[in-house]
Amino acid sequence: MTALEIAKKYVALCKEGRNEEALDSLFSKDAVSVEAGGPPGMDRTSKGMDAIRAKGKWWTDNHTVHKAEVFGPYPHDDRFAVRFVYDITNKPSGQRMTMDEVGLFTVENGKITREEFFYSQG
Amino acid sequence: MTALEIAKKYVALCKEGRNEEALDSLFSKDAVSVEAGGPPGMDRTSKGMDAIRAKGKWWTDNHTVHKAEVFGPYPHDDRFAVRFVYDITNKPSGQRMTMDEVGLFTVENGKITREEFFYSQG
């Protein structure tokens, strides 16, 4: 698939809540995921699909999603951006919040090799 | 200014329609601007502030802006993203359209040195 086809497929799966399927089918096994920030003691960078899936599981275990909106993709050559707006409750704190962020994805050889998340902290 | 301060200032100026002031005060004179695509014969890459201002003038001369929304900034270390949603009419064609794009900005030594625009074409 071209970068544009991958971008469209990624967004289509995320809009349907099939995020794990997106990881399985569109990412390189060596992909790297980088957060803008993170809880103390948690590494901002996840290397490889096992680490990325573990981060996803941690996030899913710790948040209730009330509503998820996905905008995009916004392509630029072999990269694309996606905007995510999630209405969530953090389970440990019980705090409900809006998560508004931009993901930047890099495609190489037909797979997503890098995702970086952009958002304000605190 | 830190990258975060520059990001906030950039968005604040754009929200007030003071885009030229943002170029004058926040960009390096050697900054590079890269479009996702462009009209035939027009270079996607503008190098230096003279070229960037010329592109801005071309855009302003050729579009009527009915409404401009600016979302962000979305920071990540020395980069930040901004989402722009513009309701515009292309003057030559008379066609009214929504321009929905993500800008990715890179900050070095207290100035924006690179802007890249992400959007679908056609």
Side-chain angles (χ1 to χ4, degrees):
Chain A
M1 287 193 282
T2 65
L4 181 58
E5 288 167 341
I6 288 172
K8 288 180 177 175
K9 184 74 180 170
Y10 178 86
V11 167
L13 288 170
C14 288
K15 282 187 174 176
E16 293 177 4
R18 295 158 68 187
N19 300 54
E20 286 186 28
E21 191 176 332
L23 292 180
D24 290 341
S25 60
L26 303 176
F27 281 64
S28 161
K29 67 177 174 51
D30 301 318
V32 173
S33 176
V34 188
E35 297 289 328
M42 186 171 294
D43 199 334
R44 290 171 48 197
T45 302
S46 304
K47 293 182 181 174
M49 289 313 300
D50 288 347
I52 292 174
R53 285 198 191 86
K55 176 170 70 167
K57 182 180 184 327
W58 170 85
W59 195 89
T60 303
D61 288 349
N62 282 276
H63 297 88
T64 303
V65 178
H66 307 291
K67 186 181 177 188
E69 289 180 290
V70 184
F71 302 91
Y74 302 91
H76 181 121
D77 296 337
D78 288 339
R79 292 174 296 162
F80 64 92
V82 179
R83 182 173 173 227
F84 303 92
V85 182
Y86 278 38
D87 172 13
I88 58 175
T89 294
N90 178 265
K91 291 182 189 174
S93 69
Q95 191 183 354
R96 186 161 177 167
M97 62 187 86
T98 298
M99 190 189 90
D100 182 358
E101 62 185 55
V102 170
L104 175 64
F105 301 83
T106 303
V107 175
E108 293 173 281
N109 300 316
K111 293 285 183 182
I112 295 169
T113 57
R114 188 174 181 86
E115 59 174 10
E116 299 165 291
F117 294 101
F118 290 63
Y119 48 85
S120 293
Q121 299 169 63
Chain B
M1 287 193 283
T2 67
L4 182 57
E5 289 166 341
I6 288 171
K8 288 179 177 175
K9 184 75 179 169
Y10 178 85
V11 167
L13 288 171
C14 288
K15 282 186 173 176
E16 294 178 3
R18 295 157 66 188
N19 299 55
E20 286 186 30
E21 191 176 331
L23 292 179
D24 290 339
S25 60
L26 302 175
F27 281 63
S28 160
K29 66 179 175 52
D30 300 319
V32 173
S33 177
V34 189
E35 297 290 327
M42 187 171 293
D43 199 334
R44 289 172 49 198
T45 302
S46 304
K47 294 182 179 173
M49 289 313 300
D50 288 347
I52 292 174
R53 284 199 192 87
K55 176 171 68 167
K57 182 178 184 326
W58 170 85
W59 196 89
T60 303
D61 287 349
N62 282 277
H63 298 88
T64 303
V65 178
H66 307 290
K67 186 181 177 188
E69 290 180 289
V70 183
F71 302 91
Y74 302 91
H76 182 122
D77 295 339
D78 287 340
R79 292 173 297 163
F80 64 93
V82 178
R83 182 173 173 228
F84 303 91
V85 183
Y86 279 38
D87 173 14
I88 57 175
T89 294
N90 179 266
K91 291 181 189 176
S93 69
Q95 192 183 354
R96 187 161 178 166
M97 62 187 85
T98 297
M99 188 190 89
D100 182 357
E101 61 185 55
V102 170
L104 175 63
F105 300 82
T106 303
V107 176
E108 293 173 281
N109 301 316
K111 293 286 183 182
I112 296 169
T113 56
R114 188 174 180 85
E115 60 174 10
E116 299 164 293
F117 294 102
F118 289 63
Y119 47 86
S120 292
Q121 298 168 63

